[in-house]
Amino acid sequence: MQRGSSRMWWATIRTVLFYLLVVPFTLTWAAFFGLFAYMIPYPLRYYLVIGAWARGMHLCTQYILGIRVRVHGLEHVPPQACVIVANHQSAWETYFLQLLFHPQSQVAKASLLKIPLFGWTFAMMKPIAIDRTNKRHAMMQVIELGSQRIAEGNSVLIFPEGTRASPHQLLPFRQGGALLAKAAGCVMVPVSHNAGQYWRNDQFAKRAGTIDIHIHPALDSSTADAADLMAHAASIISNQLHGRVS
């Protein structure tokens, strides 16, 4: 019991140090590039702003929080733009996946673009900002803007659960990612991870450990309807999360 309390105490201290560093880092980074990022051509703008920021966040996560990463299946990252569908457990995957699929546009809440400094700079990175209160309109935005991003060479990251789930839990998948892949004529890549075991959504302190992230083989969007395609992706991710992989 005492050893467990000690580990939690150190985890809390590490987490406080982490936020004391990354919050000013993120705001300063966003303010600095917000002044002139619009003058940098895309995709170089993406690599200088989002790519470098994500790398800095990863280093802070590794050396301050003690969270390391094992990536499985890098050979499955397609050379062309694709739709990425991943389970959602924490904030960690929102920046780490930027290091695996690039350049990348993320489907995000429109309210994020209103955050001073951060939101203004983020808006120049070609996100797909949606209003979640109008689901029908949001779906149309994902398909229309997502198809444009893919045609421009950007992969699109979607969390089909729509919100963060607890570790080992998988919420129902919405079909937006499959509909976008079919509309854009590109492959869909399922990604699974166990980030929530260390970066829990319901706890402040982050636990040290190793996150395993699996990039699964791409799915051909032309061979099935959207419902079957998304069901297949959900099955792949669920099997990995629950150890049902041969």
Side-chain angles (χ1 to χ4, degrees):
M1 184 69 177
Q2 187 175 9
R3 183 178 299 178
S5 298
S6 177
R7 283 199 297 264
M8 183 56 68
W9 174 248
W10 282 112
T12 301
I13 292 175
R14 288 196 302 266
T15 304
V16 170
L17 291 175
F18 174 78
Y19 282 117
L20 285 175
L21 178 61
V22 302
V23 171
F25 163 63
T26 298
L27 292 177
T28 302
W29 194 263
F32 176 74
F33 279 102
L35 296 175
F36 61 87
Y38 67 93
M39 295 186 290
I40 304 173
Y42 202 91
L44 178 59
R45 183 195 316 161
Y46 172 89
Y47 292 110
L48 287 177
V49 182
I50 293 293
W53 171 79
R55 178 65 61 184
M57 290 291 293
H58 172 56
L59 292 174
C60 290
T61 302
Q62 180 175 345
Y63 292 107
I64 299 177
L65 296 178
I67 297 177
R68 289 170 169 75
V69 185
R70 280 191 297 252
V71 180
H72 310 266
L74 268 175
E75 68 275 12
H76 296 142
V77 176
Q80 70 277 11
C82 64
V83 174
I84 311 133
V85 290
N87 62 306
H88 197 15
Q89 296 184 353
S90 70
W92 172 84
E93 57 266 22
T94 64
Y95 64 82
F96 187 79
L97 282 170
Q98 301 275 6
L99 302 176
L100 302 181
F101 298 85
H102 42 73
Q104 180 190 127
S105 294
Q106 291 191 2
V107 176
K109 295 182 294 186
S111 58
L112 289 177
L113 304 186
K114 298 178 182 179
I115 299 175
L117 302 179
F118 174 83
W120 305 335
T121 304
F122 184 46
M124 288 186 279
M125 299 301 114
K126 298 190 176 182
I128 301 172
I130 62 172
D131 178 7
R132 292 184 178 179
T133 61
N134 188 333
K135 293 183 179 180
R136 182 178 177 83
H137 181 64
M139 181 68 71
M140 293 173 61
Q141 283 182 295
V142 168
I143 295 172
E144 181 180 352
L145 294 178
S147 295
Q148 291 178 17
R149 299 291 184 263
I150 290 169
E152 294 165 353
N154 273 31
S155 291
V156 175
L157 171 62
I158 295 179
F159 297 112
E161 295 167 283
T163 189
R164 289 173 287 187
S166 301
H168 306 295
Q169 180 186 14
L170 200 64
L171 301 175
F173 274 27
R174 300 172 183 172
Q175 295 182 26
L179 290 170
L180 171 57
K182 292 183 73 64
C186 67
V187 299
M188 190 170 77
V189 181
V191 174
S192 58
H193 61 85
N194 62 338
Q197 293 184 28
Y198 309 101
W199 189 308
R200 288 186 63 99
N201 186 35
D202 57 353
Q203 293 180 2
F204 172 75
K206 317 303 181 209
R207 294 173 50 212
T210 301
I211 294 173
D212 283 290
I213 183 166
H214 295 262
I215 304 168
H216 302 281
L219 304 179
D220 184 354
S221 64
S222 67
T223 60
D225 63 25
D228 289 341
L229 183 63
M230 189 54 76
H232 189 188
S235 176
I236 291 170
I237 294 172
S238 178
N239 287 341
Q240 183 65 59
L241 290 179
H242 298 99
R244 297 191 297 263
V245 180
S246 56

